[in-house]
Amino acid sequence: MSMCKVCHRDSAKHSEKTWLLHQQKQRCNFCGDYRGKHSEKLWNIHQEAVPNNTKLATILLGQGPKVLAKIVKWNTVKVNGRDSSHHIEYVPIYMKCSECGATLGNAEEKLADVFDKTCLECFCNMTEQEVKWYERPRV
Ligand SMILES: [Zn+2]
Ligand SMILES: [Zn+2]
Ligand SMILES: [Zn+2]
């Protein structure tokens, strides 16, 4: 039993069909897209990429797309009873390539189920070396 994040009612209060429908309408914390646009594997990858128990915000990096960031507060002063904004830091959350550790781009994040969380470069390297690719244990 679990709580539906779409209508905030218990799963028992849904017919099977409505439940599925509502689950598909869940928004991904990581990329902001509907669950229905993810494969099951991609959904899990994205949920894992988002840290738990962390305050999140979306920030705009320059002209670029909005990125998910965690809000990090330094334990410091309060100015006039409020947290000083100088002591709040937005740390962007990126996925890292599981092979080389490079930060994944937007497209690579959306294809993480296909690329197995690697960057395009590593993916190409791996697919060229077919033997290695297939020897890797799949998780
Ligand atoms: Zn619902
Ligand atoms: Zn997502
Ligand atoms: Zn890589």
Side-chain angles (χ1 to χ4, degrees):
M1 220 178 276
S2 56
M3 176 90 126
C4 177
K5 285 186 180 146
V6 175
C7 68
H8 303 286
R9 287 188 302 170
D10 197 273
S11 60
K13 297 251 159 85
H14 295 68
S15 73
E16 205 176 313
K17 211 172 157 186
T18 330
W19 176 252
L20 277 177
L21 201 75
H22 281 183
Q23 295 319 292
Q24 296 301 303
K25 280 195 181 164
Q26 259 187 75
R27 287 273 190 178
C28 177
N29 283 334
F30 183 72
C31 70
D33 237 335
Y34 289 116
R35 181 173 189 162
K37 293 198 175 173
H38 295 66
S39 72
E40 196 59 33
K41 187 178 172 189
L42 185 63
W43 178 257
N44 291 333
I45 291 173
H46 279 183
Q47 301 320 296
E48 273 169 29
V50 180
N52 286 322
N53 304 319
T54 316
K55 275 202 173 178
L56 300 170
T58 37
I59 53 169
L60 209 57
L61 281 187
Q63 302 290 312
K66 278 188 185 168
V67 296
L68 189 67
K70 61 180 173 186
I71 304 172
V72 180
K73 275 193 198 175
W74 305 105
N75 348 321
T76 36
V77 286
K78 291 202 171 208
V79 179
N80 300 327
R82 295 159 126 229
D83 289 323
S84 160
S85 57
H86 296 292
H87 300 283
I88 296 175
E89 199 185 339
Y90 294 92
V91 182
I93 297 171
Y94 292 117
M95 275 172 52
K96 295 252 167 80
C97 171
S98 57
E99 289 296 316
C100 71
T103 304
L104 296 191
N106 205 261
E108 289 153 347
E109 286 173 348
K110 297 226 167 190
L111 290 168
D113 54 341
V114 183
F115 285 1
D116 232 358
K117 286 199 267 183
T118 62
C119 67
L120 191 59
E121 214 179 305
C122 289
F123 182 75
C124 289
N125 285 340
M126 282 189 291
T127 41
E128 268 170 26
Q129 303 163 18
E130 275 186 3
V131 186
K132 239 186 169 175
W133 168 253
Y134 287 113
E135 273 176 358
R136 276 178 79 234
R138 302 285 243 136
V139 235

